[in-house]
Structure formats: C-alpha cells, structure tokens
Amino acid sequence: MWEGEAWWDMIGSDGRIRHVDEFAVTPDSASLAVFADQLQSQMHPLGELIAVELAREESDKKALLVEAKKLQQALTRDLLGDLASQQGVLLRWHRGVVQSLRLQLRCLVEAGGRALSRAGTRFLTNLGAHPAFVLLEELILEGQSGLPTVLEKVFDASPSTLRSLGLVSRSPKAFRDPSLISEVFARLP
C-alpha cells in the first residue's frame, strides 16, 4: 500500500493529480489495480492501460502486449501533444505509468530559449496534471537553451515522486556558469 495519503486522494474530482506530500514510489499490484479502477470509472484511458499491464504480469499472452503497446502509443500522443512527432522526447513506461522521461529542451522553448513554446507549455501543464505522470521518478533534460525557464515550470509541475533530475549537454562549457548551477540547486526540494 502507498504510505501517506490514500490513492483516491491523489486524483481530484476534476481528474487532475493532486500533489501528495509523501508516499512510496512503487505501489503494490492491489493499490495500482484500485487506481486503475478509479481511472476507468472516470472513463480515463490510462486506467485501461494499467489494467492491461497488471494482467500482463499474470499472463504472458502476446495479445496483452499488443494491446498495451497500442494504448501506450495513444496515451503518448495525448501526453505529448505536438511534441509526439518530434525527436528528442522519450518516455519509459512501467506498469501503465510513465516512470522516466527524457527530453531535449529545444522541444519545449521558442527560438532563443527565453520563452516556452505552445507545445512546451501544454506538455509541462500535463506533467503536473496527467495521472500517467503520478509515479514519475526520473526526468532528464538535454541541452542548454531555455533551461532556467523550463526548470522553473518543471519544479512547479513535477510530482513528489520525482527522485532524479538529470541535466545533460553536449557542450563542455554548458554548466560552467555558477549562477545557473546555483539556481538549479536552490530550486531542488
């Protein structure tokens, strides 16, 4: 069972995630099944994906794998919106929810990196509101352009389960600016 608030307190009546102060990152199968049932009662497609993934744990039927992949693809398009067609975004699913997310900052910001793009704004809103991100543990951001802008939104939107934040750049000079690094550390929970 999850520690802290119960699973039903995590999703508000509007279907959006409520932030939970503290609970175990990996729920047991029974708790996850209850979460899936609650989502399905609200006609949310994520509930079906979680149920299919839990059924896959009990059976190795190929049809369940095919169904899970189909549901993941549909949900990925819903989660990412316009970003779904861009390279540089990678979701790792586990038991029907997104466990890890890797994305390039250029996908989220306008040219110049000073403002979020429309697609970036929509995605970061989903990060804090979509039940698929309720157990997000790892977020990796690649690049430099727009990092302070994106980080501000990420820290505001990310679920309390986020345990790892990675900053990656191909430039050897990327993170030499001490003010940028201190800003990142100052915002960490």
Side-chain angles (χ1 to χ4, degrees):
M1 216 43 201
W2 286 330
E3 297 171 7
E5 293 188 47
W7 64 270
W8 54 84
D9 291 331
M10 295 172 62
I11 305 294
S13 59
D14 60 357
R16 296 171 77 76
I17 294 174
R18 287 189 17 201
H19 288 275
V20 179
D21 290 333
E22 187 176 317
F23 61 89
V25 174
T26 306
D28 59 39
S29 295
S31 298
L32 205 51
V34 172
F35 183 51
D37 288 345
Q38 195 241 356
L39 289 170
Q40 287 178 314
S41 74
Q42 296 177 3
M43 306 302 289
H44 199 293
L46 182 63
E48 183 180 359
L49 175 59
I50 294 170
V52 168
E53 290 286 4
L54 290 173
R56 280 188 56 222
E57 291 178 1
E58 303 298 319
S59 168
D60 59 350
K61 292 183 179 177
K62 184 153 177 82
L64 290 174
L65 176 62
V66 170
E67 181 66 15
K69 291 296 180 191
K70 185 175 83 174
L71 290 167
Q72 280 180 359
Q73 288 173 348
L75 279 164
T76 296
R77 285 190 301 273
D78 180 48
L79 289 171
L80 299 179
D82 295 338
L83 299 179
S85 63
Q86 294 189 30
Q87 291 195 0
V89 181
L90 177 66
L91 300 173
R92 187 175 72 219
W93 293 85
H94 179 68
R95 300 179 93 191
V97 294
V98 177
Q99 185 176 38
S100 177
L101 169 62
R102 184 178 189 118
L103 55 96
Q104 293 181 5
L105 292 172
R106 66 172 171 72
C107 297
L108 301 176
V109 295
E110 298 287 346
R114 300 214 184 271
L116 289 174
S117 65
R118 192 177 77 230
T121 300
R122 181 175 184 265
F123 171 75
L124 290 172
T125 299
N126 264 347
L127 181 64
H130 200 287
F133 291 117
V134 74
L135 297 174
L136 182 67
E137 293 180 32
E138 178 182 59
L139 175 62
I140 300 169
L141 302 172
E142 291 184 29
Q144 291 175 252
S145 182
L147 184 60
T149 303
V150 170
L151 278 177
E152 181 178 335
K153 297 295 183 185
V154 164
F155 286 128
D156 291 341
S158 61
S160 60
T161 56
L162 188 65
R163 300 289 182 253
S164 175
L165 173 65
L167 304 176
V168 179
S169 177
R170 291 190 174 105
S171 169
K173 297 179 182 180
F175 301 113
R176 288 192 183 160
D177 178 0
S179 65
L180 177 62
I181 299 300
S182 62
E183 183 177 337
V184 170
F185 282 108
R187 295 296 311 262
L188 289 174

